[in-house]
Amino acid sequence: MKNKHIGTCFDDFLQEEGLLATAEATAVKRVIAYQIEKEMEERHISKSALARMMQTSRSSLDRLLDPENASVTLLTMESAALALGRKLKVQLA
């Protein structure tokens, strides 16, 4: 039996399997979490300090920075960005 996915791109495979939206959302969330962590490192801001700046709990910030946790809201990401003096930019491409 010939494999129908040979020669296709990975995005096509994920789309056919119904996994593309989840994979892309997870990737975007990981990138944002990475950027927040880098900004915290550069500014020498601890997790506790950033949580205070965001007026949230440390556990909420931990969920935001956890690359495996995709259930973080845009509001939480925006709050972190604003606390760091940045803006969150989301757009359709």
Side-chain angles (χ1 to χ4, degrees):
M1 183 173 137
K2 187 176 177 183
N3 185 336
K4 68 178 182 173
H5 297 295
I6 291 178
T8 63
C9 74
F10 191 58
D11 284 354
D12 291 341
F13 168 75
L14 291 174
Q15 182 68 38
E16 288 174 16
E17 297 297 316
L19 301 171
L20 183 60
T22 301
E24 287 182 345
T26 300
V28 168
K29 193 313 192 137
R30 285 180 178 209
V31 168
I32 291 171
Y34 173 79
Q35 290 174 332
I36 291 170
E37 283 186 306
K38 292 298 286 182
E39 194 75 24
M40 288 170 61
E41 276 180 28
E42 289 174 10
R43 296 179 183 209
H44 305 289
I45 298 173
S46 69
K47 288 182 181 181
S48 297
L50 183 58
R52 278 192 305 276
M53 293 163 65
M54 292 171 60
Q55 299 180 343
T56 192
S57 67
R58 166 80 190 265
S59 60
S60 179
L61 180 59
D62 284 337
R63 283 191 295 276
L64 171 62
L65 297 176
D66 179 0
E68 300 302 318
N69 187 337
S71 65
V72 177
T73 66
L74 285 173
L75 183 60
T76 303
M77 290 186 265
E78 177 69 17
S79 178
L82 289 173
L84 293 168
R86 305 292 293 257
K87 289 188 177 192
L88 180 67
K89 183 177 180 182
V90 178
Q91 64 184 20
L92 295 177

